[in-house]
Amino acid sequence: MYFIDFILLFISMLILVVCVLVGVAFLTLLERKVLGYIQIRKGPNKVGFIGLLQPFSDAIKLFTKEQAFPFMANLNIYYLSPMINLFISLFLWLCMPFVSVLFNFNLSVLFFLSISSLSVYTLMLAGWSSNSSYSLLGSLRSVAQTISYEVSLALIFMSFIFLVLSMNLLDFMLIQKYFWLLFLMFPLSLMWVISGLAETNRTPFDFAEGESELVSGFNIEYSSGGFAMIFMAEYSSILFMSMICVLVFLGGDVFSFIFFIKLTFMSFIWIWVRGTLPRFRYDKLMYLAWKSFLPSALNYLIFFFNFKMMVFILLL
C-alpha cells in the first residue's frame, strides 16, 4: 500500500515540475510580449504561430551552445551552483497545497521560508566560484538584498499567521472562503508584493543583473546551460511568489480555474512593474527594507497579536 503511495507521490511531483517548467517557458514569452507592447513594438512573433514556439527554440539554443568557463574558476562549485539554484526553486513548489496525493504538511509556511533562504548560498557561491571581481561584487549586492528582504517577508508572514493561527497554506485557503485577507490587510499585502519583487531580484530592484546598464551581475561568467538554469530558477521563483500571493491574501481556491487566472494576473504584475518603473537606488532599497518595512511589519505584528488576544478574551 505504502509503495503505491510513494509511486503516486513521485508521479505527482514529476507532473508538477514539468508543469512549472512549461509555465516558466511561457512566462518568458509573456514577459517579452508585454514589454514589447509597452514599448510599442511586437515582441517575438516569427517562430511558430504568434511566437508560441520561441521559448522552446531559445531553450534549445542555450543548452546546445558551447559552455565557456573562466580559466581560474573553481569548476565544481561553478557548475553545481546553477543546478542547485534551479533545484531549490523547484523544491519550493512542494509546499503548494493539494488535498490528495501530493505533500500537504502542516508547516508549509516554515518550509517555504527555510528553503527560500537557501538560494542565498547558491548566489554567493556562483559569484565567488567564477573567480571574477565583477561577479563577486554582483553576488554580494544580491545576497545583501535577499537577506534584507527575507527579514521583512518573514515578519509580514507572521501577521498573517497570527490571524489564521496555522502554518499550513491549505488553512489560508479555507479561511478565505467568504472574505479575502487582502481587504483586511491591504498595506501588508502591498508590502508583501514589494518584498517579493526584491526577493526575486526583479525591477525596480534588479541590482544583481541591471540588464539595461550593466552587462550582468553574479552570473556574468555563465553561458549556455548554466545561464539558462539561473534564468529558469528566477522565473520559477516569480511564479512561486505569485502563487503564494494568491494563496495568502487573494482567496486562493486551488481547486478552481479562477486560481490560475489570479496566478497569471500576479505574474503579469511582476512584468508590468518591470515595463513601468525605473530602477531604485541601492541605498534607498536598503532604507526601504530596514527603516520602512521592518518597523511597519513589527507594528502590524503587535497590532494583530493584540487583536487575536482581544478576540480570545471576548470569546471566553
Side-chain angles (χ1 to χ4, degrees), residues 108 185 212 222 226 288 294 301:
S108 42
M185 311 171 82
S212 55
Y222 283 94
L288 185 71
L294 188 65
L301 189 61

mmCIF file of all heavy atoms in Angstrom, residues 108 185 212 222 226 288 294 301:
data_model
loop_
_atom_site.group_PDB
_atom_site.id
_atom_site.type_symbol
_atom_site.label_atom_id
_atom_site.label_comp_id
_atom_site.label_asym_id
_atom_site.label_seq_id
_atom_site.Cartn_x
_atom_site.Cartn_y
_atom_site.Cartn_z
ATOM 1 N N SER A 108 3.977 24.150 6.149
ATOM 2 C CA SER A 108 4.392 24.528 4.790
ATOM 3 C C SER A 108 4.926 25.958 4.714
ATOM 4 O O SER A 108 5.803 26.246 3.904
ATOM 5 C CB SER A 108 3.249 24.340 3.792
ATOM 6 O OG SER A 108 2.033 24.780 4.310
ATOM 7 N N MET A 185 -5.988 43.295 5.287
ATOM 8 C CA MET A 185 -4.556 43.587 5.476
ATOM 9 C C MET A 185 -3.963 44.186 4.203
ATOM 10 O O MET A 185 -2.950 43.698 3.696
ATOM 11 C CB MET A 185 -3.820 42.302 5.849
ATOM 12 C CG MET A 185 -4.483 41.540 6.969
ATOM 13 S SD MET A 185 -3.776 39.929 7.241
ATOM 14 C CE MET A 185 -2.362 40.333 8.234
ATOM 15 N N SER A 212 19.744 46.778 -18.099
ATOM 16 C CA SER A 212 19.694 47.940 -19.003
ATOM 17 C C SER A 212 20.971 48.761 -19.003
ATOM 18 O O SER A 212 21.225 49.494 -19.952
ATOM 19 C CB SER A 212 18.498 48.823 -18.646
ATOM 20 O OG SER A 212 18.554 49.185 -17.291
ATOM 21 N N TYR A 222 28.705 33.154 -16.684
ATOM 22 C CA TYR A 222 27.964 31.960 -17.109
ATOM 23 C C TYR A 222 27.473 32.113 -18.536
ATOM 24 O O TYR A 222 27.090 33.199 -18.968
ATOM 25 C CB TYR A 222 26.760 31.713 -16.191
ATOM 26 C CG TYR A 222 27.158 31.109 -14.874
ATOM 27 C CD1 TYR A 222 27.387 31.906 -13.764
ATOM 28 C CD2 TYR A 222 27.331 29.739 -14.751
ATOM 29 C CE1 TYR A 222 27.762 31.360 -12.557
ATOM 30 C CE2 TYR A 222 27.712 29.173 -13.543
ATOM 31 C CZ TYR A 222 27.925 29.983 -12.458
ATOM 32 O OH TYR A 222 28.307 29.428 -11.266
ATOM 33 N N GLY A 226 24.396 26.866 -17.943
ATOM 34 C CA GLY A 226 24.471 27.466 -16.607
ATOM 35 C C GLY A 226 23.624 28.725 -16.510
ATOM 36 O O GLY A 226 22.856 28.905 -15.565
ATOM 37 N N LEU A 288 14.496 51.215 2.534
ATOM 38 C CA LEU A 288 13.117 50.727 2.473
ATOM 39 C C LEU A 288 12.944 49.463 3.317
ATOM 40 O O LEU A 288 11.963 49.314 4.045
ATOM 41 C CB LEU A 288 12.738 50.435 1.008
ATOM 42 C CG LEU A 288 11.295 50.017 0.728
ATOM 43 C CD1 LEU A 288 10.351 51.201 0.906
ATOM 44 C CD2 LEU A 288 11.160 49.474 -0.696
ATOM 45 N N LEU A 294 10.547 47.091 8.027
ATOM 46 C CA LEU A 294 10.783 46.385 9.294
ATOM 47 C C LEU A 294 9.957 46.986 10.440
ATOM 48 O O LEU A 294 9.228 46.254 11.121
ATOM 49 C CB LEU A 294 12.279 46.382 9.618
ATOM 50 C CG LEU A 294 12.725 45.540 10.801
ATOM 51 C CD1 LEU A 294 12.476 44.064 10.539
ATOM 52 C CD2 LEU A 294 14.206 45.764 11.092
ATOM 53 N N LEU A 301 2.472 43.463 13.450
ATOM 54 C CA LEU A 301 2.554 42.192 14.180
ATOM 55 C C LEU A 301 2.012 42.367 15.596
ATOM 56 O O LEU A 301 1.204 41.552 16.070
ATOM 57 C CB LEU A 301 4.015 41.727 14.209
ATOM 58 C CG LEU A 301 4.312 40.331 14.731
ATOM 59 C CD1 LEU A 301 3.622 39.283 13.889
ATOM 60 C CD2 LEU A 301 5.811 40.084 14.731
#
